């Protein structure tokens, strides 16, 4: 419909508004009437077509009979007016008879209006054919018809139909009985369970052989057999319900292994129109076809895996109902395993980001098996990713997932950040400002600083360097730093959002643990705010003991890195740790001692210049008390930390003497390490630990009583002195319910006791014999001498 034009100003001056309105109304009325007329014509045409289809046309024989009757009447009338034959010559009469026998217009169908020599038009519409057919009025009620195949005649297509016979109830019953008898006469073969199992094994073996043949053909010559990938992928739609589940699983795993083997070590890009138009060699064209087929089949394969997982998630069944819902779970698990393998094995190939988008949400899946599979795959990807492209993609998707779910995700999703291979970032600049340094001189610089011969040599050198860089295909350090900086920025943004908006979330321990690991890479500008947030979290009392330890560890990691330049005294964190040390015991919190040992290492060993002697003495005494009531591995770790204290800080041997130093009495219940007068006490706990049942604890206690010497008789063996406290804690761990060092067996112990008893008996016998000889010599010296003489003569 055209938009009406607005009349000009001059025309408006000459014409009134009423007249213009009337013109517009008349125009709209004409348009409406024309549209109404068109709709009526279309309606009539549709009704005519419907009538032509529904009404039964006259058979061709009836039409011919009517036409023959009319022709006879016309001939009779014509005979009346015709001349008698006896008035014509014999030659003329014979000629007319011959022409009449050969006349085609007398023998053709008179119902068709076509000329004699005109062929049938192929483009003639069905409506025109039905319009040409004779019709009759519908005087009888319509009967139910059974439509048969149509008949093609000279006049066109003649539809065939037969009236449906009306059967009585008795006739219907007799027909049903006859059909039942027919079925009973030819029963279907019924297989026994053994035969069905054998048939299933045979089908399964055939499918396995077919899969193996296709896979071996593809792996032997991938370039020429790339089309067989499509045939193998078509088996993912196996329709036999007996073997469908197993065959689909086998095909999924087979395709996964094939793609891992034949995928190139580079990303395949689509060809441009100009590249497609250019003529290339046969080898190049063959390579292009192979790459194009590989990418397309890989894409379809990934779509199949994704659809399998979606169907299981949405509890959807296909129309064929070949596989049940329970079997879909197994298929989905295999699909997830294949995706995880491809995520780790092909991080450089096409559609890797699509796999990441599929895998990352499954890390938060309610199914424990699937979530663990995805978490382990992401950890492996982080550990083997040297450049940082794949890690950056995964971190982006995880950050979006955490924010999109409103921080309602499993803690394992955030704990994967701890496996990132990031040790160095660009701290002075933002990631956007990092640019690679110029390696080659510009033309103006060369013209200004170099002579003609030097420019020539320089050009050749730069060309050679470029070729070498392309051959190595190594990423520059600046690009790597840029990727790592961008990745860590996203990680810190995620952490800070949770600290700000979801402090009571179960993700907080994972956040604090991540901050403790990457705190040395945080920009100095955020230190003050971050320390305030960490202290407020500890002071709130809402955190568990483990979470508060992570807060302390994060704070001291921040201060031990770039925070050395800041003038901050973290006395509140020292006080909190000193106050809560006795919350540790040999039960459920024994694992927290590992975090405590890390905190003590950062708080004292790396900040020894900022720690006072009173503080070190107080921690040394409290740790010695703590070592009495924890498990052996914890005692070993604590005593190893005390050894570092005594070797790092001067005058720690004060606690090995009973004499008091200065005024005051030791106050063990005071929570302030600076004011508890720890210099006026002694380490009497070491004498108890020296009689501990664990041999390693005994060694450490004896070593500390001797003053922790590095040489001499009181020094520790190398396998104990060269290990850190955390390593010793993990080495002597008793999670596996095994004693380290191993206890001697019962037989060996019995053997040792028997040997000791034998030696003891021998010693006693020797003592008694010597005593008897001495007594004999004293009382009867002459007889003894005579006896010796006789024995010597003999």
């Amino acid at each position: 419909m055209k938009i009406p034009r607005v009349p000009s100003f001059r025309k408006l001056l000459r014409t009134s508004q009423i007249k213009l309105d009337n013109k517009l109304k008349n125009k709209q009325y004409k348009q409406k009437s024309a549209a109404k007329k068109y709709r009526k014509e279309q309606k009539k045409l549709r009704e005519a077509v419907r009538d032509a289809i529904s009404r039964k046309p006259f058979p061709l024989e009836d039409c011919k009979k009517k036409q023959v009757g009319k022709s006879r009447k016309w001939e009779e009338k014509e005979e009346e007016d015709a001349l008698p034959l006896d008035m014509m010559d014999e030659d003329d009469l014979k000629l007319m008879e011959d022409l009449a026998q050969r006349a085609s217009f007398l023998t053709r169908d008179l119902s068709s209006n076509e000329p004699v020599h005109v062929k049938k038009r192929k483009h003639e519409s069905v409506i025109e054919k039905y319009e040409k057919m004779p019709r009759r009025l519908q005087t009888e009620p319509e009967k139910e018809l059974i439509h048969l195949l149509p008949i093609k005649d000279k006049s066109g297509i003649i539809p065939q139909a037969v009236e449906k016979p009306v059967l009585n109830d008795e006739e219907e019953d007799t027909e049903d009985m006859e059909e039942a008898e027919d079925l009973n006469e030819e029963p279907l073969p019924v297989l026994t369970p053994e035969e069905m199992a054998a048939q299933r094994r045979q089908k399964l073996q055939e499918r396995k052989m077919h899969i193996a043949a296709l896979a071996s053909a593809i792996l032997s010559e991938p370039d020429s057999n790339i089309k067989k990938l499509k045939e193998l992928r078509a088996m993912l739609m196996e329709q036999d319900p007996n073997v469908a589940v197993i065959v689909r699983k086998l095909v999924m795993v087979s395709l996964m292994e094939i793609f891992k083997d034949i995928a190139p070590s580079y990303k395949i890009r689509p060809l441009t129109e100009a590249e497609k138009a250019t003529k290339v060699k046969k080898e190049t064209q063959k390579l292009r076809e192979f790459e194009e087929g590989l990418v397309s089949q890989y894409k379809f394969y990934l779509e199949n895996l994704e659809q399998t997982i979606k169907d299981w998630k949405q509890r959807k069944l296909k129309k064929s109902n070949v596989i049940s819902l329970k079997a879909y779970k197994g298929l989905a698990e295999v699909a997830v395993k294949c995706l995880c393998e491809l995520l780790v094995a092909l991080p450089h190939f096409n559609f890797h980001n699509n796999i990441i988008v599929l895998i990352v949400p499954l890390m938060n899946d309610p199914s424990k098996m699937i979530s663990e599979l995805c978490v382990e795959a992401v950890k492996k990807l982080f550990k083997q990713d040297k450049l940082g492209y794949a890690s950056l993609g995964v971190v982006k998707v995880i950050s979006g997932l955490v924010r999109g779910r409103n921080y309602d995700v499993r803690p394992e999703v955030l704990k994967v950040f701890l496996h990132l291979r990031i040790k160095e970032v660009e701290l002075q600049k933002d990631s956007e400002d990092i640019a690679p340094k110029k390696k080659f001189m510009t033309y103006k610089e060369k013209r200004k600083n170099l002579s003609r011969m030097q420019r020539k040599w320089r050009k050749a050198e730069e060309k050679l360097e470029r070729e070498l860089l392309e051959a190595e295909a190594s990423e520059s350090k600046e690009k790597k730093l840029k990727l790592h900086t961008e990745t860590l920025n996203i990680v810190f943004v995620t952490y800070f959002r949770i600290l700000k908006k979801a402090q009571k979330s179960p993700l907080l321990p994972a956040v604090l643990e991540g901050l403790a690991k990457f705190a040395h890479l945080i920009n100095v500008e955020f230190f003050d705010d971050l320390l305030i947030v960490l202290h407020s979290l500890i002071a709130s009392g809402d955190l568990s003991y483990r979470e508060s330890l992570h807060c302390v560890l994060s704070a001291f990691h921040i201060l031990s890195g770039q925070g050395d330049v800041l003038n901050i005294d973290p006395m509140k964190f020292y006080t909190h740790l000193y106050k809560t040390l006795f919350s540790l015991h040999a039960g459920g919190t024994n694992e927290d001692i590992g975090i405590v040992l890390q905190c003590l290492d950062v708080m004292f060993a790396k900040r020894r210049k900022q720690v006072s002697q009173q503080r070190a003495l107080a921690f040394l005494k409290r740790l010695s008390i703590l070592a009495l009531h924890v498990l052996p591995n914890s005692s070993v770790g604590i005593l190893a930390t005390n050894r570092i204290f005594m070797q790092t800080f001067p005058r720690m041997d004060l606690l090995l003497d009973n004499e008091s130093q200065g005024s005051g009495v030791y106050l063990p219940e005071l929570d302030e390490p600076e004011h508890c007068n720890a210099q006026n006490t002694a380490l009497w706990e070491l004498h108890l630990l020296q009689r501990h049942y664990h041999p390693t604890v005994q060694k450490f206690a004896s070593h500390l009583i001797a003053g922790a010497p590095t040489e001499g008789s009181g020094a520790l063996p190398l396998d104990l002195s060269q290990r850190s406290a955390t390593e010793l804690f993990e080495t002597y761990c008793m999670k596996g319910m095994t004693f380290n060092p191993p206890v001697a067996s019962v037989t060996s112990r019995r053997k040792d006791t028997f040997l000791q008893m034998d030696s003891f008996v021998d010693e006693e016998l020797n003592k008694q014999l010597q005593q008897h000889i001495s007594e004999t010599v004293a009382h009867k010296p002459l007889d003894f001498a005579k006896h010796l003489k006789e024995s010597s003569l003999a």
Side-chain angles (χ1 to χ4, degrees):
M1 182 176 177
K2 292 184 180 180
I3 300 171
R5 291 182 62 185
V6 180
S8 62
F9 181 71
R10 291 183 180 180
K11 197 169 184 179
L12 285 171
L13 290 176
R14 288 179 289 173
T15 313
S16 64
Q17 185 63 34
I18 298 171
K19 193 171 182 181
L20 290 173
D21 293 341
N22 292 337
K23 283 185 177 181
L24 183 61
K25 287 179 182 178
N26 293 336
K27 191 173 183 182
Q28 291 175 353
Y29 177 74
K30 287 180 181 178
Q31 290 174 353
K32 287 180 182 179
S33 60
K36 192 173 180 182
K37 188 177 180 182
Y38 176 75
R39 286 197 297 271
K40 284 184 178 180
E41 290 176 354
Q42 292 293 322
K43 187 177 179 182
K44 286 181 180 179
L45 185 61
R46 285 196 296 271
E47 289 176 355
V49 173
R50 202 180 297 118
D51 292 342
I53 294 171
S54 62
R55 293 177 184 176
K56 183 179 176 182
F58 285 111
L60 189 63
E61 297 174 358
D62 297 344
C63 294
K64 287 184 177 180
K65 286 178 182 179
K66 290 182 180 180
Q67 289 163 3
V68 169
K70 288 181 181 179
S71 62
R72 284 178 181 174
K73 290 179 182 178
W74 180 73
E75 286 175 0
E76 290 174 358
K77 187 178 179 181
E78 206 172 30
E79 283 178 359
E80 293 176 356
D81 300 332
L83 294 172
L85 294 177
D86 53 3
M87 295 179 64
M88 299 178 65
D89 296 336
E90 291 181 1
D91 296 336
D92 296 337
L93 185 61
K94 189 176 181 181
L95 181 63
M96 288 183 69
E97 286 177 357
D98 293 338
L99 287 172
Q101 288 177 1
R102 288 180 296 178
S104 60
F105 66 90
L106 294 175
T107 58
R108 69 185 178 93
D109 187 10
L110 297 176
S111 61
S112 60
N113 298 325
E114 297 177 354
V116 180
H117 302 290
V118 175
K119 293 183 180 179
K120 184 181 176 181
R121 296 177 185 175
K122 292 183 180 179
H123 60 273
E124 189 175 11
S125 64
V126 180
I127 299 171
E128 294 177 354
K129 291 178 182 178
Y130 275 105
E131 288 294 332
K132 291 176 182 178
M133 286 185 174
R135 299 186 182 92
R136 66 178 179 181
L137 292 174
Q138 186 174 355
T139 56
E140 299 176 0
E142 291 186 0
K143 295 182 179 181
E144 194 172 356
L145 300 177
I146 299 173
H147 294 282
L148 305 176
L149 291 173
I151 298 172
K152 188 174 182 182
D153 196 41
K154 291 181 180 179
S155 58
I157 296 173
I158 302 173
Q160 298 292 314
V162 178
E163 292 182 5
K164 188 174 181 180
V166 180
L167 298 175
N168 298 328
D169 295 338
E170 296 179 357
E171 292 177 356
E172 290 178 359
D173 293 337
T174 53
E175 284 187 0
D176 293 337
M177 291 292 290
E178 288 174 0
E179 290 177 0
E181 288 175 1
D182 293 336
L183 291 173
N184 292 331
E185 288 174 1
E186 298 178 1
L188 294 172
V190 179
L191 298 176
T192 61
E194 292 80 6
E195 292 175 349
M196 291 175 67
Q199 187 179 7
R200 181 176 179 274
R201 283 195 297 271
Q202 184 181 359
K203 288 181 180 178
L204 197 58
Q205 188 65 24
E206 290 175 358
R207 303 293 197 285
K208 285 181 180 179
M209 295 300 294
H210 188 48
I211 292 169
L214 290 174
S216 60
I218 294 167
L219 292 175
S220 60
E221 294 182 3
D223 297 342
S224 55
N225 294 327
I226 193 66
K227 292 183 179 179
K228 291 188 177 180
L229 266 177
K230 185 177 181 181
E231 185 179 350
L232 184 58
R233 190 177 55 80
M235 295 181 72
L236 285 171
M237 298 293 113
E238 177 65 43
Q239 297 300 319
D240 192 344
N242 293 327
V243 295
V245 178
I246 298 178
V247 169
R248 292 187 185 187
K249 288 181 181 179
L250 291 173
V251 174
M252 281 182 189
V253 178
S254 303
L255 282 170
M256 181 262 294
E257 294 294 339
I258 289 170
F259 283 122
K260 282 169 62 177
D261 287 340
I262 67 174
S265 59
Y266 54 88
K267 190 174 183 179
I268 299 171
R269 63 173 182 83
L271 298 174
T272 60
E273 295 296 331
E275 289 174 340
K276 290 179 182 178
T278 54
K279 291 184 178 180
V280 292
K281 295 180 181 179
K282 288 183 179 180
E283 292 81 4
T284 309
Q285 185 64 28
K286 189 177 180 181
L287 179 63
R288 285 182 178 181
E289 291 175 358
F290 165 71
E291 290 179 346
E292 187 178 357
L294 178 64
V295 170
S296 63
Q297 294 303 321
Y298 187 57
K299 179 186 175 184
F300 292 141
Y301 172 63
L302 293 179
E303 287 175 352
N304 284 331
L305 296 182
E306 181 185 6
Q307 192 60 43
T308 303
I309 297 170
K310 281 184 178 178
D311 292 342
W312 171 64
K313 285 288 182 188
Q314 299 171 359
R315 302 294 189 271
K316 277 187 178 180
L317 274 178
K318 298 294 182 183
K319 293 180 181 178
S320 58
N321 292 333
V322 174
I323 297 175
S324 62
L325 280 174
K326 291 182 180 179
Y328 256 105
K329 184 180 180 182
L331 277 176
E333 289 176 357
V334 175
V336 172
K337 286 180 183 177
C338 294
L339 286 172
C340 291
E341 287 287 333
L342 294 171
L343 178 76
V344 178
L346 301 176
H348 58 276
F349 198 55
N350 299 54
F351 310 113
H352 190 256
N353 290 333
N354 302 75
I355 300 176
I356 291 172
V357 173
L358 283 174
I359 290 294
V360 169
L362 293 175
M363 294 166 64
N364 194 40
D365 195 79
S367 175
K368 188 176 180 182
M369 179 183 176
I370 289 179
S371 64
E372 287 179 355
L373 276 174
C374 298
V375 168
E376 289 300 320
V378 173
K379 286 179 183 177
K380 287 180 185 177
L381 182 66
F382 283 163
K383 287 178 182 177
Q384 73 177 23
D385 185 23
K386 296 179 181 179
L387 303 178
Y389 287 106
S391 300
L392 179 60
V394 174
V395 168
K396 283 181 179 179
V397 179
I398 291 176
S399 178
L401 176 71
V402 173
R403 191 178 180 185
R405 296 282 179 90
N406 199 15
Y407 313 106
D408 185 18
V409 296
R410 301 178 65 182
E412 288 78 6
V413 177
L414 279 186
K415 284 184 180 179
V416 296
F417 287 161
L418 300 175
H419 298 270
L420 285 167
R421 293 183 61 178
I422 298 177
K423 296 181 180 178
E424 189 180 1
V425 293
E426 185 70 34
L427 295 170
Q428 302 299 325
K429 301 177 182 180
D430 294 329
S431 59
E432 298 175 356
D433 300 331
I434 300 172
K437 297 177 182 178
K438 288 193 297 183
K439 292 184 178 180
F440 306 112
M441 296 175 67
T442 60
Y443 177 74
K444 289 183 179 180
E445 290 173 348
K446 290 177 186 176
R447 192 70 182 266
K448 184 177 180 181
N449 300 324
L450 303 176
S451 64
R452 185 176 180 183
M453 185 59 67
Q454 287 175 337
R455 289 200 300 269
K456 191 174 181 181
W457 278 103
R458 193 60 177 263
K459 186 177 180 181
E461 287 176 0
E462 289 179 357
K463 184 179 179 183
L464 181 61
E465 286 176 7
R466 286 193 183 95
E467 290 177 356
L468 289 173
L469 285 173
E470 290 176 1
E472 290 175 2
S474 59
E475 295 293 327
S476 63
K477 187 179 179 182
E478 290 82 3
K479 199 166 188 179
K480 189 175 178 181
L481 281 177
K482 181 179 178 180
L483 288 171
H484 285 181
T485 306
E486 189 176 353
T487 304
L488 205 60
N489 283 344
I490 297 171
V491 171
F492 283 141
V493 165
T494 307
Y495 285 165
F496 293 158
R497 279 177 184 159
I498 295 171
L499 285 175
K500 185 178 179 182
K501 298 181 180 179
Q503 291 186 356
K504 295 184 180 180
S505 169
L507 300 176
L508 192 60
V511 171
L512 297 173
E513 201 171 347
L515 284 174
K517 180 173 182 180
F518 301 114
H520 63 286
L521 301 173
I522 301 176
N523 205 331
V524 185
E525 299 173 358
F526 303 112
F527 280 4
D528 290 335
D529 297 334
L530 195 53
L531 288 173
I532 291 168
V533 170
L534 293 175
H535 183 260
S536 64
L537 285 171
I538 293 173
S540 65
D542 298 330
L543 302 182
S544 65
Y545 184 62
R546 190 181 183 87
E547 292 170 3
S548 64
L549 289 177
H550 279 304
C551 282
V552 174
L553 187 60
S554 303
F556 280 100
H557 271 302
I558 291 170
L559 295 174
S560 63
Q562 302 175 77
D564 287 337
V565 298
L566 300 176
N567 237 346
I568 298 174
D569 185 17
M571 185 59 197
K572 346 179 223 195
F573 296 104
Y574 281 101
T575 304
H576 174 74
L577 184 62
Y578 182 79
K579 182 172 60 175
T580 57
L581 273 178
F582 287 149
S583 300
L584 295 164
H585 53 80
T589 58
N590 185 58
E591 296 180 356
D592 297 340
I593 293 181
I595 308 172
V596 171
L597 295 176
Q598 293 178 27
C599 292
L600 292 170
D601 181 52
V602 180
M603 293 164 70
F604 290 94
K606 295 181 180 178
R607 291 176 57 84
R608 55 182 177 270
K609 294 182 180 179
Q610 288 90 359
V611 179
S612 64
Q613 184 183 0
Q614 293 293 331
R615 197 181 300 175
L617 287 170
F619 269 93
L620 181 61
K621 175 63 180 175
R622 185 156 282 199
L623 287 172
S624 300
I625 298 171
L626 181 64
L628 291 173
H629 56 81
V630 290
L631 290 178
N633 62 327
S634 304
S635 297
V636 171
I638 291 170
L639 293 176
T641 304
N642 287 350
R643 176 176 174 268
I644 295 170
F645 271 67
M646 295 182 75
Q647 291 178 349
T648 304
F649 296 95
R651 299 187 65 187
M652 287 290 108
D653 54 352
L654 292 174
L655 300 182
L656 300 176
D657 193 358
N658 289 334
E659 295 181 4
S660 60
Q661 301 289 331
S663 61
V665 181
Y666 174 60
L667 303 173
E669 73 279 358
L670 194 66
D671 293 333
E672 292 292 335
E674 298 282 352
H675 308 292
C676 66
N677 299 323
Q679 74 277 3
N680 293 328
T681 185
L683 295 177
W684 51 266
E685 297 86 5
L686 296 178
H687 293 280
L688 294 177
L689 292 169
Q690 203 172 7
R691 286 176 281 175
H692 199 277
Y693 65 89
H694 199 282
T696 311
V697 177
Q698 294 176 12
K699 290 179 184 178
F700 267 99
S702 303
H703 173 69
L704 292 176
I705 287 173
T710 56
E711 296 178 353
S713 60
L716 284 174
L718 288 176
D719 60 332
L720 296 177
S721 61
Q722 292 182 353
R723 291 185 183 180
S724 64
T726 310
E727 288 179 6
L728 289 168
F729 170 74
E730 293 173 355
T731 302
Y732 292 98
C733 182
M734 300 179 69
K735 280 185 178 178
M737 300 302 291
T738 55
F739 194 80
N740 188 11
V743 182
S745 62
V746 178
T747 55
S748 61
R749 277 187 292 173
R750 285 178 181 173
K751 195 173 181 181
D752 293 340
T753 52
F754 286 137
L755 290 172
Q756 290 175 2
M757 288 175 67
D758 291 340
S759 63
F760 177 73
V761 170
D762 291 339
E763 288 176 1
E764 289 295 326
L765 289 173
N766 288 330
K767 285 179 182 179
Q768 291 179 8
L769 183 60
Q770 288 176 3
Q771 187 179 0
H772 178 68
I773 290 171
S774 61
E775 288 176 356
T776 306
V777 170
H779 292 288
K780 298 178 181 179
L782 296 176
D783 295 343
F784 185 71
K786 186 179 179 180
H787 176 70
L788 285 176
K789 189 176 180 181
E790 289 177 356
S791 62
S792 61
L793 289 172

